[in-house]
Amino acid sequence: VLCWFYVFPGYRLPRDKDIVAEVLRQGDVWRKNQTGIDLYRDLLTKCCNPKKMFAVTKENSPIGKVLWYDGEIYHSHTVNSETYQLFIKRRGAASSCRRCAVVGNGGILKGSKKGKEIDHHHYIFRCNLPPLSREYVEDVGTKTHLVTANPSIIEKRFQNLVWSRKTFVDSMKVYGSSYIYMPAFSMAPGTDPSLRAYFALTDVPSNLTMLFANPDFLLSVSKFWKAHGVHARRLSTGLFLVSLAMGLCDEVTTYGFWPFSVDLDEQPISHHYYDNILPYKWFHAMPEEFVQLWHLHKSGILRMKVGHCS
Ligand code: CDP
């Protein structure tokens, strides 16, 4: 099942056109491969232990534990009595999730009418506090169980919560009673906004629970994918979540993972379903990630929904 990994290191990325042709060739055919799913979960458990390690918890990060930042050289935080009390007791996400959806933010979702289908999953992961307002519901759904929040969103969209704590708390209501998953200990400038977001949510009655991503987990997932041919300064948020979901869920389906400039009819599409702001060049390697995920799709290990019907 996994030998294709070893074919990829010297591999040249196909053009958008070739990817479209390949996806169309595959069509709606998808056969679940339970052996592959179990094998892959074992691989991820061995390397990264998603169930126990994905969040910083009182269990895996006691007082005195040094959290080495995964996105920063030689930067660390030693857990003290103040930070320790912000951590959840044990792992946060449900221990046995059956059918999970990981929703990326790709423009391919616009007009997809996948909302109902997405909402039918037992557990729904979303990236970077995406808009779920009425105009998008039909395409992306309404439910969320875990949503990531990049500290840069807190700085830019919510002015670092200096003046806009209420706006922040109000706009978090669309995520219901989900977990907000923040990489507080990944890059030095991200710690302060993450802690501010934590306090903004806990100072008022709120159904949301803040989870801080465990930098050891993020680092081990990055190494896992690097060994499998994904070379980027940083993995995309979506790939971190897919890795987490594959460790926790019985079956994983992805939506909105399509980092190409045209759709399956070769019509131009925006980068996100809500805007066309492109990521910094060279920061992520989303097309490379797509190729890896597509192979998992073809092997029946996870299912990617990229077209209107598929
Ligand atoms: O923070 P990041 O730039 O990684 O993500 P984003 O632009 O908010 O999108 C969330 C995730 O959706 C990404 O991390 C990708 O995994 C996926 N995505 C995609 O596959 N294709 C796109 N055109 C846009 C996003």
Side-chain angles (χ1 to χ4, degrees), residues 58-230:
K58 287 193 164 71
E59 193 177 66
N60 65 34
S61 304
I63 292 178
K65 156 99 184 165
V66 180
L67 297 170
W68 287 100
Y69 284 45
D70 59 298
E72 201 83 60
I73 300 172
Y74 301 131
H75 191 82
S76 65
H77 169 79
T78 304
V79 178
N80 56 40
S81 53
E82 275 149 42
T83 40
Y84 181 74
Q85 61 179 336
L86 315 182
F87 304 161
I88 55 152
K89 235 177 175 173
R90 287 148 138 253
R91 67 165 174 257
S95 52
S96 55
C97 311
R98 285 184 288 149
R99 286 187 317 102
C100 299
V102 183
V103 187
N105 290 336
I108 195 82
L109 275 171
K110 204 155 89 186
S112 67
K113 298 204 167 39
K114 292 287 181 204
K116 275 207 178 107
E117 188 181 312
I118 291 173
D119 279 348
H120 265 110
H121 289 79
H122 298 117
Y123 210 87
I124 300 161
F125 297 83
R126 298 189 193 265
C127 306
N128 292 330
L129 304 177
L132 298 179
S133 44
R134 212 182 303 150
E135 61 191 294
Y136 303 116
V137 161
E138 208 180 7
D139 294 333
V140 302
T142 56
K143 294 189 192 159
T144 306
H145 296 88
L146 184 147
V147 59
T148 67
N150 204 311
S152 66
I153 303 177
I154 304 298
E155 285 178 280
K156 289 185 194 136
R157 206 189 301 167
F158 301 103
Q159 297 80 45
N160 216 6
L161 300 177
V162 178
W163 306 110
S164 49
R165 282 161 66 103
K166 185 169 169 2
T167 320
F168 172 68
V169 172
D170 287 349
S171 61
M172 293 301 103
K173 286 185 182 147
V174 299
Y175 305 112
S177 51
S178 64
Y179 290 104
I180 309 269
Y181 185 61
M182 289 197 78
F185 305 105
S186 286
M187 312 245 191
T191 304
D192 181 55
S194 306
L195 298 182
R196 281 171 181 276
Y198 176 95
F199 289 115
L201 287 177
T202 45
D203 285 354
V204 292
S206 160
N207 294 328
L208 296 152
T209 307
M210 178 69 82
L211 284 181
F212 297 128
N214 191 321
D216 290 348
F217 172 70
L218 301 181
L219 189 65
S220 60
V221 170
S222 305
K223 284 186 181 160
F224 176 84
W225 287 106
K226 196 167 188 181
H228 294 153
V230 177

